[in-house]
Amino acid sequence: MQASAQSFDRRMLEALVCPLTHGTLTWDAERQELVSKGAKLAFPVRDGIPVMLVSEARSLD
């Protein structure tokens, strides 16, 4: 099941940081991902839960 934009609490962005850079994340609603521009990685959100594992992240290169 894909998470919808409504199931992800965007206030969570205030508490979450990139596990590599400790920088801020941005929400990509179209792809359902949290994006770390500094690390050039996109972390998936599955069933409304952010998966903050580097091994699960998609490279933005």
Side-chain angles (χ1 to χ4, degrees):
M1 171 192 343
Q2 283 286 14
S4 69
Q6 290 79 25
S7 69
F8 176 68
D9 186 353
R10 294 189 59 187
R11 291 175 295 172
M12 201 179 313
L13 280 175
E14 297 172 12
L16 291 175
V17 295
C18 173
L20 286 179
T21 67
H22 303 287
T24 59
L25 300 166
T26 57
W27 172 240
D28 182 341
E30 184 177 320
R31 290 184 172 247
Q32 299 290 298
E33 296 174 327
L34 292 169
V35 177
S36 170
K37 292 179 182 174
K40 296 184 181 176
L41 293 173
F43 297 92
V45 175
R46 297 184 185 129
D47 298 323
I49 300 169
V51 181
M52 302 305 297
L53 300 171
V54 175
S55 62
E56 294 288 319
R58 179 178 66 81
S59 175
L60 297 177
D61 290 339

